[in-house]
Amino acid sequence: MKVFLCITIFTVFLQPLSAQNTDSLENLLTSGISDSQKKDILIELCKEYRDSNPNAMRLYAEELVTLSKKDTTSNSFAWAHYYLGDYYYLVDDFDKTEKYFLSAYEIFKNRENSIGALMSASSLANIYFFRDRYKTALNFAESGLDLAYVMDDKAQQSNLLALICDIYTYMERYNLAIQHCIQSLKIKEEMEIQKGKEITLNTIGLIYQELGTYKKAKEYLFEALALARENGEPYNIATTHSNIGNYYLATGSIEDALQSFQSAMKIDSSSQDKTGLAYSFYDIGKVYLLKDELTKAIENFKKAKELADEQNMPELEARIGLEMGGVFITKSEFQIAIQELKNSVTIAQKINSSGILKDTYQKLSKLYDKMGDKTNALIYMKLFMLESERKFKEENIRSIAEIEALYNIDKKEKEIDLLKKDNAIKELQAEQRSFFITALSIGLFLLTVLLIILYNRNKLKNRANKALNEQNKAIQEQKEEIENQKEELAATSNKLVDKNQEVTDSIVYAKQIQDSLLPQLQTIKEVLPQSFIFFRPRDIVSGDFYWFTQIENKTAIAVVDCTGHGVPGAFMTVLANSLLNQIVLETGITSPDLIVSLLDQKIQQNLHQQQLENANTDGLDIGLVLLDPQNKTIEYSGAKIPLYHYQDNELQVIKSDRNSVGSTQQLNKSFTKKEIKYKPGDMIFMSSDGFQDQFGGPKNKKFMKSNFRKLLSKIAEKPGQEQLNCVEEQFIKWRGSNPQTDDILVIGFKLN
């Protein structure tokens, strides 16, 4: 179970600021007061009704929006959006919650309203944490913490430190998590606050459990349970029971674990906490799996999955898929197990959960080995090893970052104390400096005026004497300068010609290297006799390339369009070509969606795109086909490059995924595989976007996709060489006297 702090922080922030009861406030609304006073009362009513009547809070917030809509940058408009966000949080509409909190945060921040900005930042941090967007949650939590330090708000410092501890825990950065948890507890102890301490104690217990220090884990978890019961918050009691259940699982006490999970479920059910119920069903399913009661395990996992899907909990869905895979492996229902595990892989890739990916790859490897499929067993073992290696590298980077962060945490409190002392000193120094600067400025101004007067008098005297001499000299100098410029221009022209030739020679040599990386046309024609490749770089070297190989009984062919053209594009083609060979030839992977997904990860790793400070967005589009002649099937995956399949006199467009390969600008990327049955005589086409984007024709417009599809349909029945001739003739005719817009690559082959 997770997401402790959403409820705690919201309720702490939203304590009513006034002791006036709601009746008197509502009566004031109907009296003859100004709009400004009315806005203040509406804000107060939103606070008062937050816990007792959320619908009333929403109505007053909407009335506040109407009153404030003439100035959408006002504090009252921001508070209206804040409380609307709070309402939608309470009714589980998290998209609207995020939208309204973000709006409030931006207004408060621009108006330098520290209280509003602190509340909005903290609320956003909780929402993003709930939705498994840990980096974004961390950014808002740290922004809120900085404001809490400036405002010297100890209570919110404690709450936000505890939230950051939770975030770091889910990011598996345990050293930083412990540091923030302990700081949070210290503040609560100084202020003698008991409420919310059980949350932090739970988190510390979970960290110790994850690290294998079970004695310390038990100590913190049972202390948390006692405190949760004392404070009487059902959510926190249920969560602690759930955490204790997982502790019992880790230490082998299965019956005790089941009892703890059932206690959590009872509380979740009575409080109608669907998120908690999802975790409780999942946890109980794990217990029944360990007890070999598979029917009960499946029943609980399915209930957990329904709730996880309903509540938008992708991480839990991925974990359920991993466990369900294990159930069906035990039942020897291998195809269902594969389906569950691959679904888990897809979700884990979307949310970038390295731990779940690693475990799922390992389980798939063991499953295929058990089925006797050594090829896939090896593929998934290599994927498991690649993910382990990536995680190891990330952990090393984290360790370095944590050392620095620990130092910064220790400095922060000292810096705040020093800042307060420095402010008083600086104010006194500023007054003295202001007086000195004023006096000095007046003196400098008077001195400057005197110097200007003396300089102008001397200048007028000398100007007349020099004018005649300068005219004579100018005539002679111009004559000499013209002669010199002629010589310099001739020399510069010669140098530019030589330099241009050197650069051209280098690029031509680079083209020879690039051409050597491309597969030989003769090799392709041996496998696909009726095929053609129309390849025309815009410059000498190209950002497009084609790739071809045979692995086992399949033929792989790809069209790749890298970022840029010319020399920059050529550099990317070399990297992409090398990575494709590494992924396919070294690992033996033959599933195109996995190949494209791994290519995406490896380009990000090689170009260091996952580092936050790196703005590199280079990448590529790809269309990848694996042809299986034995089963008469084509497996295709595409990133912005579609597949054209001509069958029975009709051209079908198999759409690609909308994500590019490489670059971290697109979040939650996934690449899908499409399987197509073909008949002998069918044609397959793939193309980069260069042909379609070429300007020309009678109106000097782009060729466009529709015309390109008509061209493919027109040539599909012709032999390979005639198809190439038609494509080339159409391109030359359309382009006319226009320059070539982009690199162009079109591939077509007939299936035998």
Side-chain angles (χ1 to χ4, degrees):
M1 188 176 272
K2 64 176 280 192
V3 193
F4 258 125
L5 289 175
C6 286
I7 292 174
T8 304
I9 285 185
F10 281 132
T11 53
V12 169
F13 271 132
L14 299 173
Q15 293 300 315
L17 301 179
S18 171
Q20 290 180 286
N21 61 48
T22 53
D23 290 339
S24 60
L25 288 171
E26 286 170 339
N27 289 335
L28 280 172
L29 280 178
T30 58
S31 62
I33 58 175
S34 67
D35 283 351
S36 177
Q37 291 171 316
K38 201 169 188 180
K39 290 174 187 175
D40 291 339
I41 292 170
L42 287 169
I43 292 169
E44 195 68 33
L45 283 167
C46 286
K47 294 174 190 173
E48 291 282 351
Y49 277 121
R50 194 272 173 186
D51 291 323
S52 61
N53 191 343
N55 283 320
M57 176 183 70
R58 176 180 61 82
L59 292 172
Y60 285 125
E62 287 172 348
E63 188 176 347
L64 188 56
V65 168
T66 304
L67 269 178
S68 309
K69 66 182 177 182
K70 290 182 181 177
D71 184 4
T72 57
T73 62
S74 64
N75 276 317
S76 58
F77 190 80
W79 283 118
H81 274 214
Y82 178 83
Y83 287 113
L84 283 172
D86 200 13
Y87 167 77
Y88 285 112
Y89 162 74
L90 293 170
V91 297
D92 295 339
D93 189 340
F94 298 117
D95 287 332
K96 288 184 179 177
T97 300
E98 179 183 348
K99 169 189 163 186
Y100 282 114
F101 279 154
L102 279 171
S103 171
Y105 176 73
E106 288 301 321
I107 298 170
F108 286 135
K109 190 178 174 185
N110 291 334
R111 295 189 65 89
E112 297 183 356
N113 184 327
S114 298
I115 294 174
L118 172 56
M119 291 172 66
S120 303
S122 303
S123 300
L124 283 163
N126 277 279
I127 290 301
Y128 285 121
F129 177 47
F130 179 80
R131 304 186 85 178
D132 300 324
R133 291 166 64 179
Y134 302 131
K135 288 182 181 178
T136 309
L138 186 60
N139 286 337
F140 279 107
E142 288 178 339
S143 296
L145 183 59
D146 289 340
L147 287 165
Y149 279 130
V150 171
M151 295 166 63
D152 198 26
D153 188 335
K154 296 286 186 184
Q156 299 316 323
Q157 289 172 28
S158 174
N159 287 328
L160 286 162
L161 285 164
L163 173 59
I164 292 170
C165 171
D166 268 6
I167 295 169
Y168 276 132
T169 301
Y170 277 86
M171 293 173 77
E172 299 178 9
R173 300 174 70 174
Y174 299 123
N175 288 345
L176 280 173
I178 287 282
Q179 287 290 325
H180 284 82
C181 273
I182 290 172
Q183 282 188 309
S184 174
L185 284 175
K186 278 183 180 178
I187 294 172
K188 279 189 166 66
E189 286 166 5
E190 286 171 11
M191 298 179 69
E192 298 182 351
I193 295 174
Q194 293 298 310
K195 190 170 184 179
K197 275 180 70 176
E198 67 268 32
I199 299 169
T200 312
L201 291 168
N202 259 286
T203 304
I204 296 173
L206 290 173
I207 293 170
Y208 278 122
Q209 180 180 314
E210 190 67 30
L211 296 172
T213 312
Y214 295 118
K215 186 176 179 182
K216 294 283 285 182
K218 183 178 181 181
E219 178 186 325
Y220 277 102
L221 290 172
F222 277 90
E223 185 182 350
L225 182 60
L227 195 55
R229 285 170 172 164
E230 184 181 325
N231 290 334
E233 177 59 56
Y235 181 90
N236 294 351
I237 299 170
T239 301
T240 312
H241 275 301
S242 177
N243 291 337
I244 290 171
N246 279 300
Y247 158 78
Y248 281 131
L249 274 187
T251 54
S253 303
I254 294 176
E255 292 302 327
D256 289 332
L258 182 59
Q259 186 177 344
S260 294
F261 291 142
Q262 287 172 339
S263 297
M265 178 178 278
K266 186 176 180 182
I267 297 168
D268 290 331
S269 182
S270 62
S271 60
Q272 296 184 335
D273 178 3
K274 292 184 178 181
T275 301
L277 272 173
Y279 276 100
S280 293
F281 279 121
Y282 168 69
D283 289 332
I284 290 171
K286 287 193 299 183
V287 173
Y288 283 125
L289 181 56
L290 288 171
K291 295 176 71 172
D292 287 330
E293 296 182 34
L294 302 184
T295 303
K296 288 184 178 179
I298 292 171
E299 181 183 324
N300 280 277
F301 285 142
K302 283 183 176 178
K303 289 178 181 177
K305 189 173 183 179
E306 286 173 10
L307 287 167
D309 182 56
E310 179 186 329
Q311 298 298 305
N312 189 23
M313 301 162 69
E315 184 187 52
L316 182 58
E317 283 190 75
R319 293 189 183 280
I320 292 166
L322 183 60
E323 297 296 340
M324 287 280 277
V327 173
F328 289 112
I329 289 171
T330 305
K331 295 182 72 175
S332 297
E333 296 180 21
F334 297 141
Q335 292 305 318
I336 301 176
I338 290 170
Q339 184 180 341
E340 291 287 347
L341 292 171
K342 285 190 174 180
N343 184 52
S344 181
V345 166
T346 302
I347 297 170
Q349 285 174 337
K350 285 182 180 178
I351 63 173
N352 197 26
S353 175
S354 181
I356 297 174
L357 266 180
K358 191 163 64 74
D359 293 344
T360 313
Y361 286 148
Q362 188 178 36
K363 191 163 281 189
L364 277 164
S365 176
K366 290 179 179 177
L367 169 57
Y368 278 117
D369 185 57
K370 190 172 183 178
M371 293 169 65
D373 186 344
K374 301 299 180 185
T375 303
N376 274 314
L378 180 61
I379 288 169
Y380 282 101
M381 181 50 65
K382 287 179 178 177
L383 286 171
F384 165 72
M385 292 168 69
L386 281 170
E387 197 62 38
S388 299
E389 178 187 356
R390 184 166 77 92
K391 192 172 181 184
F392 176 74
K393 287 179 181 176
E394 287 175 353
E395 284 171 356
N396 281 339
I397 294 168
R398 284 176 185 169
S399 297
I400 294 167
E402 285 173 9
I403 291 167
E404 182 182 359
L406 290 173
Y407 172 71
N408 289 333
I409 288 167
D410 188 50
K411 281 173 57 183
K412 181 164 272 187
E413 290 183 359
K414 295 177 183 177
E415 287 173 355
I416 291 164
D417 291 336
L418 287 172
L419 184 62
K420 291 177 183 176
K421 294 174 184 177
D422 285 346
N423 283 339
I425 297 168
K426 284 177 181 176
E427 285 176 6
L428 181 60
Q429 288 175 338
E431 289 176 9
Q432 294 173 340
R433 195 181 300 114
S434 177
F435 175 80
F436 176 76
I437 289 170
T438 303
L440 182 61
S441 298
I442 294 169
L444 287 172
F445 175 75
L446 294 173
L447 180 60
T448 303
V449 171
L450 180 60
L451 287 172
I452 290 170
I453 293 168
L454 292 173
Y455 173 77
N456 284 336
R457 284 183 179 179
N458 186 56
K459 187 176 179 183
L460 289 169
K461 184 178 178 180
N462 292 332
R463 185 179 296 168
N465 294 331
K466 289 181 180 179
L468 188 58
N469 292 332
E470 287 176 354
Q471 286 176 2
N472 292 332
K473 285 180 182 179
I475 294 168
Q476 185 61 33
E477 286 172 357
Q478 285 175 4
K479 185 178 178 181
E480 292 173 359
E481 186 178 351
I482 289 167
E483 293 298 326
N484 290 334
Q485 284 177 351
K486 283 182 180 179
E487 293 174 4
E488 287 174 5
L489 283 170
T492 303
S493 178
N494 291 333
K495 284 181 182 177
L496 286 172
V497 170
D498 293 341
K499 195 70 179 174
N500 185 57
Q501 189 58 47
E502 286 178 17
V503 172
T504 303
D505 290 344
S506 296
I507 296 175
V508 169
Y509 184 65
K511 176 176 172 56
Q512 293 174 8
I513 295 172
Q514 189 180 39
D515 288 346
S516 70
L517 296 174
L518 296 173
Q520 295 295 314
L521 290 176
Q522 186 57 38
T523 305
I524 296 174
K525 288 211 173 267
E526 286 174 3
V527 181
L528 301 167
Q530 289 297 320
S531 60
F532 75 89
I533 297 175
F534 179 57
F535 182 43
R536 180 168 291 197
R538 194 194 81 164
D539 304 307
I540 298 171
V541 288
S542 174
D544 291 359
F545 75 98
Y546 52 94
W547 180 83
F548 176 87
T549 192
Q550 288 184 282
I551 181 165
E552 297 176 358
N553 61 334
K554 293 183 180 180
T555 298
I557 188 164
V559 167
V560 184
D561 183 355
C562 297
T563 301
H565 41 71
V567 175
F571 278 117
M572 277 296 295
T573 67
V574 173
L575 173 62
N577 186 79
S578 172
L579 291 176
L580 276 171
N581 287 329
Q582 180 186 346
I583 292 166
V584 177
L585 301 180
E586 292 182 17
T587 66
I589 295 173
T590 59
S591 185
D593 53 330
L594 280 177
I595 294 169
V596 175
S597 182
L598 279 172
L599 181 62
D600 177 57
Q601 292 176 27
K602 284 188 169 288
I603 284 178
Q604 290 183 31
Q605 290 166 14
N606 277 269
L607 298 181
H608 307 292
Q609 292 173 331
Q610 293 167 331
Q611 298 175 10
L612 291 177
E613 70 277 5
N614 195 329
N616 185 308
T617 59
D618 292 332
L620 57 89
D621 300 336
I622 184 172
L624 175 62
V625 163
L626 270 85
L627 175 64
D628 184 352
Q630 291 183 355
N631 296 313
K632 295 288 188 294
T633 59
I634 291 172
E635 291 179 339
Y636 155 77
S637 285
K640 291 192 172 180
I641 292 185
L643 180 78
Y644 300 99
H645 179 204
Y646 185 83
Q647 184 181 68
D648 297 332
N649 298 317
E650 183 181 354
L651 186 73
Q652 300 173 21
V653 182
I654 314 301
K655 291 185 178 179
S656 62
D657 293 312
R658 299 177 68 181
N659 303 312
S660 289
V661 170
S663 171
T664 54
Q665 285 192 331
Q666 297 158 303
L667 302 176
N668 302 326
K669 286 195 278 186
S670 65
F671 301 98
T672 55
K673 177 176 73 173
K674 283 142 187 184
E675 190 169 305
I676 306 155
K677 284 283 185 182
Y678 72 84
K679 303 174 186 177
D682 287 2
M683 275 296 300
I684 295 294
F685 300 99
M686 288 189 292
S687 170
S688 65
D689 57 9
F691 200 111
Q692 303 159 34
D693 290 345
Q694 177 61 47
F695 282 92
K699 296 183 180 180
N700 197 30
K701 293 185 176 181
K702 288 184 179 182
F703 192 72
M704 303 300 287
K705 292 178 183 177
S706 57
N707 288 329
F708 185 67
R709 292 171 187 171
K710 288 176 185 176
L711 173 62
L712 297 182
S713 296
K714 182 179 175 182
I715 66 172
E717 301 284 353
K718 299 179 184 292
Q721 186 59 44
E722 285 187 35
Q723 289 183 355
L724 175 60
N725 295 339
C726 289
V727 169
E728 188 170 17
E729 286 169 10
Q730 179 64 63
F731 175 74
I732 293 169
K733 181 181 176 182
W734 180 263
R735 190 189 70 176
S737 59
N738 287 308
Q740 186 171 324
T741 309
D742 197 358
D743 299 319
I744 291 171
L745 175 59
V746 182
I747 288 180
F749 54 90
K750 188 164 287 189
L751 300 165
N752 297 322

